[in-house]
Amino acid sequence: MQQNEKFKDWLFRYQSFYRVRRTDKSKRRFLSALVADISDMREDVQVIEYNRHKKYASRNVYVGDIEKADRIICTYYDTPIQHFGPYVLFDREAQEKRTTSFIVVSSVLLILLGIAGTFFYMQNASGAVDLLSVRTLFIALAYGVFFYLLGKIAKGSANRKTLIRNTSSVLAMLAMISEAKGEKTAFAFVDEGSFGESGLEAMLTPGNKKAKIFFLDCVGADAPLHVIGNDVSKTKLSEFSINHRSSDEKITYIFSAKTSENEQKTQFYLDKADLDQKNLNMENITKVVELCR
């Protein structure tokens, strides 16, 4: 698939202006741009809210009629939290441990830095404290910034390098939507997918239980493409050299990843360097778009 002007525009904007989708505000900005881009191509787009709280609500974007479609192609759009080590697909427990470790270590280091700064100030402070002095105001500002950063880190810092995970899948789906014809295929951009499945579960209503689900993840990585599931044409798999493994899951997963054998099981992962790529593997995205036609 060639990068036409429309795709280049998507790539620039979603990589530059809407790459972080962690807070409610940043997600709203992304969704506003996404809905506007999809509306330029078709009218059957809607935003569905779920898990509503006082100041926050999760949101899925649906294109087409997911209740009547024969298949639904979907991906998550939210930004993952920074973590140690590689991204291991299908192992949420391991990812949770890596993410928690990163938060704990980062918080401890910042607290130690704050203690060191306080000790240094106490050693060098002299004379009576003037509440209106420039020095006092500076110290108050420094502590304000410290506690602000500590609060942010304790909640988890968003990974700002999201081209591979998972902007690449969002772009692939936009390319599919621009070429989609008929009503048999619907599309879903789901929230809360980087650390759970509540967005996917919100999409799976009783009305679409018979639909085939194709879930994309990190498809633009510079790594081999894989398919786990039974709902993909063997002809297309052979044509595009995409690995296939039988699975009892209803959902068919399409993703890019490296592999390793661990306790007689195949582990799919992407290293930090893979996740930090600055360029898309357009060959992989082309294969995915062709596979899902």
Side-chain angles (χ1 to χ4, degrees), residues 106-123:
S106 300
S107 299
V108 170
L109 289 176
L110 184 59
I111 290 172
L112 291 176
L113 181 63
I115 293 174
T118 300
F119 182 77
F120 177 80
Y121 170 73
M122 293 176 64
Q123 290 292 317

PDB file of all heavy atoms in Angstrom, residues 106-123:
ATOM      1  N   SER A 106      10.325   4.537  39.816  1.00  0.00           N
ATOM      2  CA  SER A 106      10.306   5.957  39.469  1.00  0.00           C
ATOM      3  C   SER A 106       9.884   6.809  40.659  1.00  0.00           C
ATOM      4  O   SER A 106      10.460   7.874  40.918  1.00  0.00           O
ATOM      5  CB  SER A 106       9.350   6.200  38.295  1.00  0.00           C
ATOM      6  OG  SER A 106       9.750   5.473  37.157  1.00  0.00           O
ATOM      7  N   SER A 107       8.870   6.348  41.406  1.00  0.00           N
ATOM      8  CA  SER A 107       8.395   7.094  42.568  1.00  0.00           C
ATOM      9  C   SER A 107       9.464   7.155  43.651  1.00  0.00           C
ATOM     10  O   SER A 107       9.693   8.221  44.261  1.00  0.00           O
ATOM     11  CB  SER A 107       7.123   6.444  43.120  1.00  0.00           C
ATOM     12  OG  SER A 107       6.088   6.455  42.165  1.00  0.00           O
ATOM     13  N   VAL A 108      10.124   6.035  43.911  1.00  0.00           N
ATOM     14  CA  VAL A 108      11.173   5.989  44.948  1.00  0.00           C
ATOM     15  C   VAL A 108      12.330   6.918  44.579  1.00  0.00           C
ATOM     16  O   VAL A 108      12.844   7.663  45.431  1.00  0.00           O
ATOM     17  CB  VAL A 108      11.666   4.545  45.145  1.00  0.00           C
ATOM     18  CG1 VAL A 108      12.921   4.520  46.020  1.00  0.00           C
ATOM     19  CG2 VAL A 108      10.582   3.689  45.781  1.00  0.00           C
ATOM     20  N   LEU A 109      12.747   6.889  43.308  1.00  0.00           N
ATOM     21  CA  LEU A 109      13.849   7.753  42.874  1.00  0.00           C
ATOM     22  C   LEU A 109      13.490   9.227  43.026  1.00  0.00           C
ATOM     23  O   LEU A 109      14.321  10.040  43.458  1.00  0.00           O
ATOM     24  CB  LEU A 109      14.218   7.443  41.420  1.00  0.00           C
ATOM     25  CG  LEU A 109      14.912   6.107  41.166  1.00  0.00           C
ATOM     26  CD1 LEU A 109      15.127   5.891  39.671  1.00  0.00           C
ATOM     27  CD2 LEU A 109      16.238   6.030  41.915  1.00  0.00           C
ATOM     28  N   LEU A 110      12.260   9.579  42.688  1.00  0.00           N
ATOM     29  CA  LEU A 110      11.836  10.975  42.818  1.00  0.00           C
ATOM     30  C   LEU A 110      11.761  11.381  44.284  1.00  0.00           C
ATOM     31  O   LEU A 110      12.147  12.502  44.650  1.00  0.00           O
ATOM     32  CB  LEU A 110      10.486  11.182  42.144  1.00  0.00           C
ATOM     33  CG  LEU A 110       9.963  12.624  42.121  1.00  0.00           C
ATOM     34  CD1 LEU A 110      10.956  13.520  41.386  1.00  0.00           C
ATOM     35  CD2 LEU A 110       8.591  12.700  41.470  1.00  0.00           C
ATOM     36  N   ILE A 111      11.280  10.485  45.154  1.00  0.00           N
ATOM     37  CA  ILE A 111      11.213  10.779  46.589  1.00  0.00           C
ATOM     38  C   ILE A 111      12.614  10.976  47.159  1.00  0.00           C
ATOM     39  O   ILE A 111      12.861  11.908  47.936  1.00  0.00           O
ATOM     40  CB  ILE A 111      10.476   9.660  47.333  1.00  0.00           C
ATOM     41  CG1 ILE A 111       8.981   9.678  46.967  1.00  0.00           C
ATOM     42  CG2 ILE A 111      10.640   9.809  48.844  1.00  0.00           C
ATOM     43  CD1 ILE A 111       8.205   8.498  47.502  1.00  0.00           C
ATOM     44  N   LEU A 112      13.552  10.114  46.751  1.00  0.00           N
ATOM     45  CA  LEU A 112      14.938  10.250  47.203  1.00  0.00           C
ATOM     46  C   LEU A 112      15.540  11.572  46.732  1.00  0.00           C
ATOM     47  O   LEU A 112      16.275  12.232  47.476  1.00  0.00           O
ATOM     48  CB  LEU A 112      15.775   9.080  46.695  1.00  0.00           C
ATOM     49  CG  LEU A 112      15.468   7.715  47.304  1.00  0.00           C
ATOM     50  CD1 LEU A 112      16.301   6.630  46.641  1.00  0.00           C
ATOM     51  CD2 LEU A 112      15.721   7.722  48.815  1.00  0.00           C
ATOM     52  N   LEU A 113      15.192  11.963  45.506  1.00  0.00           N
ATOM     53  CA  LEU A 113      15.675  13.249  45.000  1.00  0.00           C
ATOM     54  C   LEU A 113      15.095  14.398  45.819  1.00  0.00           C
ATOM     55  O   LEU A 113      15.794  15.368  46.131  1.00  0.00           O
ATOM     56  CB  LEU A 113      15.273  13.390  43.530  1.00  0.00           C
ATOM     57  CG  LEU A 113      15.714  14.691  42.824  1.00  0.00           C
ATOM     58  CD1 LEU A 113      17.235  14.774  42.795  1.00  0.00           C
ATOM     59  CD2 LEU A 113      15.158  14.736  41.409  1.00  0.00           C
ATOM     60  N   GLY A 114      13.815  14.272  46.196  1.00  0.00           N
ATOM     61  CA  GLY A 114      13.189  15.307  47.020  1.00  0.00           C
ATOM     62  C   GLY A 114      13.818  15.396  48.394  1.00  0.00           C
ATOM     63  O   GLY A 114      14.037  16.500  48.919  1.00  0.00           O
ATOM     64  N   ILE A 115      14.129  14.241  48.980  1.00  0.00           N
ATOM     65  CA  ILE A 115      14.773  14.223  50.303  1.00  0.00           C
ATOM     66  C   ILE A 115      16.157  14.849  50.223  1.00  0.00           C
ATOM     67  O   ILE A 115      16.562  15.640  51.097  1.00  0.00           O
ATOM     68  CB  ILE A 115      14.859  12.780  50.830  1.00  0.00           C
ATOM     69  CG1 ILE A 115      13.453  12.250  51.130  1.00  0.00           C
ATOM     70  CG2 ILE A 115      15.728  12.717  52.079  1.00  0.00           C
ATOM     71  CD1 ILE A 115      13.438  10.780  51.520  1.00  0.00           C
ATOM     72  N   ALA A 116      16.899  14.502  49.155  1.00  0.00           N
ATOM     73  CA  ALA A 116      18.240  15.062  48.990  1.00  0.00           C
ATOM     74  C   ALA A 116      18.180  16.579  48.812  1.00  0.00           C
ATOM     75  O   ALA A 116      18.994  17.317  49.380  1.00  0.00           O
ATOM     76  CB  ALA A 116      18.928  14.418  47.784  1.00  0.00           C
ATOM     77  N   GLY A 117      17.195  17.043  48.039  1.00  0.00           N
ATOM     78  CA  GLY A 117      17.044  18.478  47.843  1.00  0.00           C
ATOM     79  C   GLY A 117      16.695  19.195  49.136  1.00  0.00           C
ATOM     80  O   GLY A 117      17.208  20.289  49.418  1.00  0.00           O
ATOM     81  N   THR A 118      15.814  18.573  49.940  1.00  0.00           N
ATOM     82  CA  THR A 118      15.426  19.174  51.227  1.00  0.00           C
ATOM     83  C   THR A 118      16.613  19.234  52.176  1.00  0.00           C
ATOM     84  O   THR A 118      16.838  20.246  52.857  1.00  0.00           O
ATOM     85  CB  THR A 118      14.297  18.346  51.866  1.00  0.00           C
ATOM     86  OG1 THR A 118      13.163  18.322  50.980  1.00  0.00           O
ATOM     87  CG2 THR A 118      13.883  18.944  53.193  1.00  0.00           C
ATOM     88  N   PHE A 119      17.401  18.145  52.210  1.00  0.00           N
ATOM     89  CA  PHE A 119      18.592  18.101  53.087  1.00  0.00           C
ATOM     90  C   PHE A 119      19.603  19.167  52.670  1.00  0.00           C
ATOM     91  O   PHE A 119      20.188  19.857  53.511  1.00  0.00           O
ATOM     92  CB  PHE A 119      19.217  16.717  53.019  1.00  0.00           C
ATOM     93  CG  PHE A 119      20.414  16.545  53.897  1.00  0.00           C
ATOM     94  CD1 PHE A 119      20.264  16.362  55.269  1.00  0.00           C
ATOM     95  CD2 PHE A 119      21.694  16.581  53.354  1.00  0.00           C
ATOM     96  CE1 PHE A 119      21.380  16.208  56.086  1.00  0.00           C
ATOM     97  CE2 PHE A 119      22.805  16.427  54.168  1.00  0.00           C
ATOM     98  CZ  PHE A 119      22.650  16.245  55.527  1.00  0.00           C
ATOM     99  N   PHE A 120      19.779  19.308  51.344  1.00  0.00           N
ATOM    100  CA  PHE A 120      20.726  20.309  50.841  1.00  0.00           C
ATOM    101  C   PHE A 120      20.278  21.715  51.234  1.00  0.00           C
ATOM    102  O   PHE A 120      21.090  22.560  51.639  1.00  0.00           O
ATOM    103  CB  PHE A 120      20.839  20.195  49.322  1.00  0.00           C
ATOM    104  CG  PHE A 120      21.733  21.221  48.693  1.00  0.00           C
ATOM    105  CD1 PHE A 120      23.103  21.074  48.707  1.00  0.00           C
ATOM    106  CD2 PHE A 120      21.182  22.358  48.095  1.00  0.00           C
ATOM    107  CE1 PHE A 120      23.924  22.025  48.131  1.00  0.00           C
ATOM    108  CE2 PHE A 120      21.993  23.322  47.520  1.00  0.00           C
ATOM    109  CZ  PHE A 120      23.370  23.152  47.539  1.00  0.00           C
ATOM    110  N   TYR A 121      18.988  21.967  51.126  1.00  0.00           N
ATOM    111  CA  TYR A 121      18.453  23.291  51.485  1.00  0.00           C
ATOM    112  C   TYR A 121      18.650  23.574  52.975  1.00  0.00           C
ATOM    113  O   TYR A 121      19.054  24.677  53.364  1.00  0.00           O
ATOM    114  CB  TYR A 121      16.978  23.374  51.114  1.00  0.00           C
ATOM    115  CG  TYR A 121      16.291  24.600  51.671  1.00  0.00           C
ATOM    116  CD1 TYR A 121      16.533  25.861  51.134  1.00  0.00           C
ATOM    117  CD2 TYR A 121      15.408  24.498  52.758  1.00  0.00           C
ATOM    118  CE1 TYR A 121      15.919  26.994  51.643  1.00  0.00           C
ATOM    119  CE2 TYR A 121      14.788  25.626  53.273  1.00  0.00           C
ATOM    120  CZ  TYR A 121      15.050  26.874  52.719  1.00  0.00           C
ATOM    121  OH  TYR A 121      14.448  27.980  53.233  1.00  0.00           O
ATOM    122  N   MET A 122      18.365  22.562  53.802  1.00  0.00           N
ATOM    123  CA  MET A 122      18.497  22.748  55.246  1.00  0.00           C
ATOM    124  C   MET A 122      19.946  22.988  55.653  1.00  0.00           C
ATOM    125  O   MET A 122      20.217  23.744  56.589  1.00  0.00           O
ATOM    126  CB  MET A 122      17.932  21.523  55.981  1.00  0.00           C
ATOM    127  CG  MET A 122      16.427  21.363  55.827  1.00  0.00           C
ATOM    128  SD  MET A 122      15.814  19.849  56.609  1.00  0.00           S
ATOM    129  CE  MET A 122      16.191  20.204  58.339  1.00  0.00           C
ATOM    130  N   GLN A 123      20.876  22.367  54.954  1.00  0.00           N
ATOM    131  CA  GLN A 123      22.292  22.547  55.273  1.00  0.00           C
ATOM    132  C   GLN A 123      22.799  23.933  54.898  1.00  0.00           C
ATOM    133  O   GLN A 123      23.732  24.456  55.511  1.00  0.00           O
ATOM    134  CB  GLN A 123      23.132  21.482  54.541  1.00  0.00           C
ATOM    135  CG  GLN A 123      22.948  20.077  55.074  1.00  0.00           C
ATOM    136  CD  GLN A 123      23.505  19.914  56.483  1.00  0.00           C
ATOM    137  OE1 GLN A 123      24.591  20.391  56.800  1.00  0.00           O
ATOM    138  NE2 GLN A 123      22.743  19.236  57.336  1.00  0.00           N
TER     139      GLN A 123
END
